Amino acid sequence: MTYEHILTRSEGKVGIAQLNRPKALNALNRELMAELIDALTQFDTDPAIGCMVITGNERAFAAGADIKQMAGATPVSMLDNPFIDYWDRLRRLNKPIIAAVSGFALGGGCELVMACDMIIASETAQFGQPEINIGVIPGAGGTQRMTRAVGKTLAMEIVLNGRFLTAAEALHHGLVNHVYPVEVYLEEAIKLAQQIANRAPVAVRLGKEAVNAADEMFLQAGLAHERRLFYMLFATEDQKEGMDAFISKRPANWQGK
C-alpha cells in the first residue's frame, strides 16, 4: 500500500516504517499517525513478519506533535479526537517494535519512541518532553513512561524544565538499549529486529506481553500473569521443538504454532 506520510518496506522478517514529513521534522499529525498504525497493524498480522522497526531520518525521528492541529482545541474536542489513542493502539500490537532514533525525538515523538519495546539511538539522538514551553504537559504517556525509564527526579526536570537527554545520557539512564554512529544506527536496529524475528514467534509474543505486564502491574499480579503465559507456552509446538533441538544439539525449526 502507498502512503502519503510514511514509507514502508520489509527486509527478511522485519517490517520497517519510516516517518516521512522531512520538511516538518516528521511532526506527528493525525494523518501520519493513522497511516503508521495501519502499516504496523498489517505487519503485525503478516505471518512473514516477526519484528518491526519505526524510524525517521538522520535529522529527526519526530520533533513532536503537529501543534497547529491542537492550538484551538478544547477539552471536549480533545476527548472526541482519536489522535492520542494511536499511541495506545501501538502499545497493543503483538509483535515487538524497535524505534531507530536519530536527531530529535521530542514531545509526541519521544512518547512514540517510548511506546515501542526497544530503542536504538544514533549518537546524534536527543530525547525530550518540551511541552511545558507551550503551556501543557505530555499527554500520550510521556510523564508515565519517562518516569519509569529514568526515575522521578530526572523525569521532573525533563517534564517541568524541558531538559533534553543526549544519546549518551539516555543510554546511561536506561532509556535506550544501544547507541551507534549515525551511519549504522538503522542497520543495527534492523539487525536486532532480524535476530528477534528468528526466535520462536509465540514465545516472543508472550515474552513481550509478560515484560509489559511487569511495567504496568504490581509485582504479585505481574508474577501471576507471567506464570500463566509460561505455562501456556507448553501447549505450543515450538516449545516441544525448541527443547528437543536443545537436547539434540541442533538448530530449532520454529513454526509459530
Side-chain angles (χ1 to χ4, degrees):
M1 181 175 178
T2 301
Y3 296 104
E4 182 178 356
H5 300 296
I6 67 171
L7 302 173
T8 61
R9 69 183 193 277
S10 61
E11 292 191 19
K13 297 180 181 180
V14 177
I16 303 163
Q18 180 180 2
L19 312 184
N20 190 38
R21 296 186 69 207
K23 293 182 180 179
L25 294 178
N26 291 332
L28 305 173
N29 59 17
R30 287 188 291 270
E31 295 77 16
L32 183 152
M33 289 301 298
E35 291 181 1
L36 178 63
I37 296 303
D38 180 76
L40 295 176
T41 300
Q42 291 190 47
F43 286 142
D44 201 44
T45 56
D46 183 348
I49 298 297
C51 192
M52 297 173 274
V53 172
I54 305 175
T55 192
N57 55 50
E58 291 184 4
R59 187 180 179 197
F61 176 87
D66 193 331
I67 304 305
K68 293 178 181 178
Q69 290 191 337
M70 293 188 289
T74 66
V76 172
S77 69
M78 290 300 289
L79 282 171
D80 292 336
N81 185 344
F83 183 53
I84 290 180
D85 293 344
Y86 289 124
W87 279 255
D88 297 331
R89 290 173 61 182
L90 184 143
R91 161 63 184 82
R92 292 194 294 268
L93 294 173
N94 294 310
K95 294 173 184 174
I97 305 171
I98 299 173
V101 181
S102 188
F104 298 114
L106 306 177
C110 189
E111 290 171 307
L112 181 60
V113 166
M114 292 191 294
C116 295
D117 301 303
M118 287 158 277
I119 305 169
I120 301 298
S122 85
E123 292 170 335
T124 68
Q126 296 186 64
F127 303 86
Q129 301 289 165
E131 289 88 346
I132 198 72
N133 295 321
I134 55 172
V136 293
I137 64 172
T143 64
Q144 305 304 299
R145 291 192 174 99
M146 185 64 77
T147 302
R148 283 166 170 77
V150 306
K152 175 185 172 181
T153 55
L154 182 54
M156 283 289 190
E157 188 176 357
I158 291 166
V159 172
L160 303 185
N161 204 36
R163 173 176 169 176
F164 289 3
L165 295 182
T166 65
E169 289 172 325
L171 180 64
H172 174 74
H173 291 289
L175 181 63
V176 307
N177 294 76
H178 303 283
V179 176
Y180 294 105
V182 66
E183 296 82 8
V184 298
Y185 80 99
L186 180 55
E187 175 185 335
E188 292 294 337
I190 295 170
K191 183 186 299 183
L192 175 61
Q194 293 282 18
Q195 293 170 348
I196 293 168
N198 284 322
R199 307 292 184 183
V202 181
V204 167
R205 174 177 174 175
L206 296 188
K208 168 178 172 170
E209 183 177 332
V211 174
N212 278 329
D215 197 43
E216 297 165 2
M217 295 180 177
F218 289 112
L219 178 59
Q220 287 303 316
L223 289 171
H225 187 65
E226 176 193 75
R227 194 74 45 84
R228 288 192 295 271
L229 297 175
F230 176 68
Y231 291 158
M232 187 186 304
L233 284 166
F234 282 79
T236 66
E237 294 179 18
D238 279 349
Q239 176 266 328
K240 305 297 186 290
E241 165 65 11
M243 292 190 178
D244 183 72
F246 177 82
I247 293 168
S248 303
K249 295 181 172 55
R250 61 175 177 80
N253 181 23
W254 307 120
Q255 300 297 317
K257 299 178 182 179

